[in-house]
Amino acid sequence: MHLLNNVAMNKRLFSILLLVLTAIFALPENAFASGSSEDGKVDLKGIIFHHLGDGYGWEVPFSHTRRIPLPVIVRAENGSWHCFMSSNLVELKNEKDANGEEHEKSVNVVYTANDGTQFMIAPHSSANKNKVVQVTHLSSDEEAAILAKADSISKADGIELAEVGIDGYANDHGHFYKEYKPFDMSITKNVLAIFISAIVVFFMIMSIARWHRKNGMKAPRKGLGFVELVIDYIYKGVIQATLGDKAPKFAPYLLTAFFFILVMNLLGLIVIFPGGANLTGNIAITLTLAVLTFIVTNVLGTKHYWKEIFWPEVPMFLKFPLPIMQMIEIFGIFTKPAALCVRLFANMMGGHMIVITLTGLIFIFAAFGYAAAGGTAVISLLFSIFMLVLDVLVSFIQAYVFTMLSTMFISMAQESGHHDEHKQE
């Protein structure tokens, strides 16, 4: 029986390794082809920032040209609202590379709404690159002036006309439009990933509640048992140990933050839908989480907490007439959420960058021959798998650290003075 279990385990490991190998070696033709320059070199920087960035579509697995379309919701310059799918803004074309091989390429195109309003995804030469912008046709005189200016820039900088950027204008393959950045409420890749993460957390916690409603205090097993074990560990080991009798008041927020960050981290490690969105590697999202902790900490802070900020118990010359300590304390209010934001963002973004860089080394060393490519492929693959496993651990650690620091900041804002403690006793 033990031998059969070992055989089954080995089969599972072999299947996982085969899947990883297939995914890695499927990348040259698709994902890394999209990040290649015209001379066939791999643009590793472009691939990394493409993966870490947001988008108006969700990539189909192992392809950076085909995407799952998402809703684009924008407010035009005249105040009208427009809703359409992001597939209207791109077009797939077959183009030949320097070696004469055909590759499918995604090209941005102009979309015309029913009322004649036109939109496009701003090119890299624009100040609003990769964002949906409203475009309008130029008059003949203005178009001639812009083309003349673009032609002079093209000759002076030694770049093609299609790559020239002029402020306030969108360059559509050498044809210029007047550009306007509309109010954008589109369901982008990161927005949809946030919704998915919230739904996963909701059903995870509600499943625990449903189990105890049905079975009383009987402990659940398997997946639900592991979730309850994590809840119990975070609540008793972090929240209750730090906040004491005030733990029930802040536990809902802190536990929600922990599981939300954990789910976002883990989904970001999955390469196929609904994973692949690098949410916690987006500083806007980590900043929002840090601001929530900032609001909970300061809005619910005690009188003693605010007294220590504006009139701390230090020698008088440190707080009057020059408010030296007050300035330091107020500065500290804002550095705490900043530390939360940057710590989570830097750690999760760094993990993604390392994995992509290690994978990209395979295709960079391919130019040195099969021997170099083969040796690099084995080493990069092993390190990539190691980093992915490490990222799973880091996903738990970063969610734990964010929750622990948030609990500590809230605890410091809930301290009572000696007079208040004596009155309570």
Side-chain angles (χ1 to χ4, degrees):
M1 187 68 179
H2 184 68
L3 180 61
L4 290 175
N5 289 335
N6 287 338
V7 171
M9 181 65 70
N10 290 333
K11 284 184 176 180
R12 291 194 195 98
L13 291 174
F14 177 76
S15 300
I16 293 171
L17 182 59
L18 184 62
L19 180 62
V20 173
L21 285 169
T22 303
I24 293 295
F25 288 104
L27 287 173
E29 185 177 344
N30 299 300
F32 279 84
S34 66
S36 301
S37 58
E38 292 183 358
D39 56 0
K41 294 181 180 180
V42 176
D43 181 14
L44 191 58
K45 179 182 175 182
I47 294 167
I48 290 174
F49 283 98
H50 177 83
H51 171 75
L52 298 179
D54 199 0
Y56 290 94
W58 205 303
E59 292 90 350
V60 174
F62 314 121
S63 173
H64 282 242
T65 55
R66 296 184 178 273
R67 295 189 173 192
I68 301 171
L70 297 174
V72 176
I73 307 169
V74 290
R75 185 177 184 270
E77 190 173 11
N78 61 3
S80 60
W81 286 91
H82 298 267
C83 181
F84 52 90
M85 301 303 291
S86 60
S87 56
N88 293 311
L89 299 171
V90 294
E91 186 178 280
L92 296 177
K93 292 183 178 180
N94 290 324
E95 293 187 356
K96 291 185 178 181
D97 59 13
N99 299 322
E101 297 180 359
E102 283 195 353
H103 292 282
E104 195 174 54
K105 187 176 181 181
S106 177
V107 180
N108 294 338
V109 296
V110 177
Y111 166 72
T112 305
N114 294 331
D115 62 351
T117 308
Q118 294 185 312
F119 301 94
M120 69 176 293
I121 296 177
H124 290 281
S125 58
S126 170
N128 299 308
K129 63 180 180 180
N130 298 329
K131 299 294 182 182
V132 171
V133 294
Q134 180 184 346
V135 293
T136 53
H137 288 280
L138 303 176
S139 63
S140 57
D141 293 338
E142 189 177 6
E143 185 175 12
I146 292 298
L147 284 174
K149 183 178 180 180
D151 187 57
S152 63
I153 294 174
S154 174
K155 291 177 180 178
D157 297 343
I159 58 176
E160 295 183 5
L161 184 64
E163 298 177 357
V164 174
I166 300 177
D167 290 341
Y169 297 89
N171 186 352
D172 181 27
H173 307 94
H175 183 72
F176 285 87
Y177 296 89
K178 191 174 182 181
E179 181 182 276
Y180 170 77
K181 180 67 173 69
F183 183 71
D184 195 344
M185 292 186 62
S186 303
I187 308 297
T188 61
K189 177 182 175 181
N190 282 352
V191 173
L192 181 59
I194 290 174
F195 290 157
I196 293 172
S197 300
I199 292 170
V200 171
V201 172
F202 176 79
F203 280 104
M204 187 190 307
I205 302 304
M206 291 307 296
S207 298
I208 292 288
R210 193 182 306 114
W211 167 272
H212 285 293
R213 194 180 301 115
K214 193 179 293 185
N215 300 280
M217 296 305 294
K218 185 179 178 182
R221 296 184 178 183
K222 298 182 179 179
L224 290 181
F226 177 74
V227 174
E228 185 175 34
L229 175 67
V230 174
I231 293 173
D232 187 68
Y233 175 76
I234 297 298
Y235 180 76
K236 291 183 178 179
V238 177
I239 301 174
Q240 192 176 53
T242 306
L243 291 170
D245 58 348
K246 295 185 179 180
K249 180 179 180 181
F250 298 98
Y253 165 70
L254 293 169
L255 286 171
T256 301
F258 173 82
F259 279 103
F260 190 53
I261 294 171
L262 177 61
V263 170
M264 287 193 296
N265 289 346
L266 294 178
L267 285 178
L269 299 178
I270 303 173
V271 297
I272 59 175
F273 183 84
N278 182 34
L279 291 178
T280 45
N282 186 321
I283 198 166
I285 293 173
T286 59
L287 177 62
T288 302
L289 293 170
V291 167
L292 290 175
T293 296
F294 172 81
I295 292 172
V296 172
T297 301
N298 293 283
V299 171
L300 300 178
T302 61
K303 293 180 180 179
H304 178 73
Y305 167 73
W306 288 108
K307 174 187 172 296
E308 286 298 312
I309 290 175
F310 292 106
W311 199 255
E313 295 180 3
V314 294
M316 182 62 72
F317 69 90
L318 291 175
K319 56 186 177 181
F320 183 82
L322 293 177
I324 299 174
M325 288 304 300
Q326 288 93 325
M327 293 174 63
I328 294 174
E329 292 290 342
I330 292 173
F331 182 73
I333 291 176
F334 296 98
T335 55
K336 292 171 185 175
L340 284 177
C341 168
V342 175
R343 179 189 296 270
L344 181 59
F345 161 73
N347 280 281
M348 297 313 301
M349 185 186 69
H352 284 264
M353 291 182 67
I354 291 173
V355 172
I356 299 172
T357 303
L358 289 172
T359 306
L361 289 177
I362 300 172
F363 310 103
I364 292 174
F365 278 90
F368 295 96
Y370 290 106
T376 307
V378 173
I379 296 172
S380 296
L381 178 61
L382 292 175
F383 272 105
S384 296
I385 295 173
F386 170 75
M387 285 304 303
L388 283 171
V389 174
L390 188 62
D391 272 349
V392 174
L393 178 61
V394 171
S395 298
F396 281 88
I397 292 174
Q398 290 305 315
Y400 176 83
V401 169
F402 186 95
T403 307
M404 180 184 66
L405 292 177
S406 297
T407 307
M408 290 175 60
F409 298 155
I410 292 171
S411 175
M412 288 187 287
Q414 296 300 308
E415 290 182 356
S416 300
H418 298 298
H419 181 266
D420 294 335
E421 290 177 358
H422 180 69
K423 185 186 291 185
Q424 289 176 3
E425 290 176 2

